Amino acid sequence: MAISELVNTKHQTLKINPNAAVEYAKTQHLVNLRANEIAKAACDLPVFLARNAQNGSYTVSALTSFSAGQSLLVNNNQWQALYTPVCMQTQPLYLMTREANSSDYFIAIDDQSSAVNTQQGEALFDAKGNPSLFLSAQQKLLESDLKNDYQTYQFTQEVARLGLIKNIDIVLQFEQGETQTIQGLSTVDEDKLQTLDSNTIAELQKQGYLSVLNSMLISLFQLNALVKLHNQRPELMPLKQIKLELSRDAHAL
């Protein structure tokens, strides 16, 4: 990945392949989500929290396969889920700041992305070097995603403060008897959620967080759908079942 600031003098002839989202998703076994996307993504995908080792904050992601570098949700160059996360829709463009904690944002592009070319797709600039309608729409999407990123941070901070996050291991049991463990993910502690007092529940409801937490819990059933997709791929070792276990290693992240 080579990300640089998008400028018309350097990038005027560039176009974005219409299949950019799928090209990106092909190699992502975890797809980043915002809190406002969880309920939509939960229809097809299990949604987890993961802790950022550098700053301790949590990110929200949908699991798309049991192996790094691949996605079971891309088939015949098509994204199979009903909802397409914004992080896919904006590929290969990013909103970045010039320095930490600055509000001086600019659009950047991954120059090395396979979605970037000069022949076909959506133009980023017109003949005069002005942003195209496509680029303007992408900029709006990136700017609203920035707000949703901050709201997601507030959501995860509150959930962590209430002690509603539990670290889990996903234990894969293969038909041949082998096992494999995926570590580093967390989910909602349903038992703790049910023991919260009515005032806290009312506050979570008011903030819109209660439905998000419930969506995350319901999304875990999509692990079964993921196993089914996994077992439809002849090149993959067939899975017998998967189990969620409390993480034995609190520092597995």
Side-chain angles (χ1 to χ4, degrees):
M1 191 182 281
I3 294 178
S4 62
E5 183 171 359
L6 186 67
V7 284
N8 58 4
T9 49
K10 183 182 174 186
H11 300 117
Q12 186 166 351
T13 59
L14 290 192
K15 293 179 176 169
I16 305 296
N17 189 315
N19 220 22
V22 173
E23 285 298 316
Y24 168 76
K26 268 183 191 173
T27 59
Q28 306 298 313
H29 76 291
L30 284 168
V31 175
N32 196 29
L33 295 174
R34 305 307 186 203
N36 66 315
E37 298 183 287
I38 291 172
K40 299 167 195 165
C43 297
D44 293 287
L45 294 161
V47 179
F48 294 96
L49 293 149
R51 196 162 203 168
N52 183 317
Q54 290 166 322
N55 61 20
S57 66
Y58 283 92
T59 54
V60 183
S61 302
L63 186 71
T64 72
S65 84
F66 303 112
S67 308
Q70 68 166 212
S71 173
L72 296 168
L73 269 291
V74 176
N75 197 11
N76 295 325
N77 276 331
Q78 297 286 321
W79 175 246
Q80 301 297 312
L82 293 170
Y83 177 70
T84 304
V86 170
C87 75
M88 288 171 58
Q89 294 179 47
T90 54
Q91 286 296 317
L93 301 171
Y94 302 87
L95 205 58
M96 305 191 77
T97 56
R98 294 185 200 285
E99 50 193 69
N101 303 319
S102 161
S103 56
D104 181 13
Y105 291 97
F106 63 90
I107 293 182
I109 185 166
D110 176 9
D111 291 339
Q112 292 181 349
S113 166
S114 59
V116 175
N117 67 89
T118 54
Q119 270 77 45
Q120 59 165 353
E122 298 280 2
L124 293 170
F125 298 97
D126 65 18
K128 293 180 181 174
N130 297 316
S132 66
L133 288 173
F134 169 76
L135 180 56
S136 299
Q138 291 297 88
Q139 182 170 352
K140 282 189 183 132
L141 199 53
L142 286 163
E143 285 168 356
S144 75
D145 187 52
L146 187 67
K147 287 180 197 149
N148 291 329
D149 182 27
Y150 180 64
Q151 285 164 0
T152 304
Y153 170 77
Q154 290 178 306
F155 163 72
T156 57
Q157 287 286 102
E158 180 63 6
V159 172
R161 186 186 73 79
L162 292 170
L164 295 175
I165 298 175
K166 68 175 179 183
N167 299 336
I168 51 150
D169 292 338
I170 301 175
V171 181
L172 311 174
Q173 296 185 335
F174 294 94
E175 293 280 5
Q176 284 95 332
E178 295 172 39
T179 62
Q180 181 188 330
T181 303
I182 298 172
Q183 295 181 308
L185 298 175
S186 306
T187 187
V188 179
D189 191 326
E190 189 173 10
D191 293 338
K192 280 193 183 170
L193 182 60
Q194 289 176 347
T195 60
L196 293 178
D197 62 78
S198 55
N199 287 343
T200 308
I201 290 286
E203 190 56 34
L204 284 171
Q205 179 89 39
K206 186 177 159 190
Q207 292 168 307
Y209 294 167
L210 192 59
S211 61
V212 176
L213 292 168
N214 286 325
S215 290
M216 286 188 74
L217 285 168
I218 292 166
S219 81
L220 296 179
F221 290 106
Q222 301 303 340
L223 281 166
N224 297 322
L226 218 50
V227 169
K228 196 174 173 184
L229 287 173
H230 176 99
N231 286 342
Q232 285 169 0
R233 301 276 179 110
E235 74 277 13
L236 299 175
M237 200 159 55
L239 272 166
K240 185 180 179 184
Q241 64 171 353
I242 57 171
K243 284 195 234 170
L244 292 185
E245 294 181 356
L246 271 178
S247 178
R248 295 187 194 93
D249 179 6
H251 304 291
L253 308 175

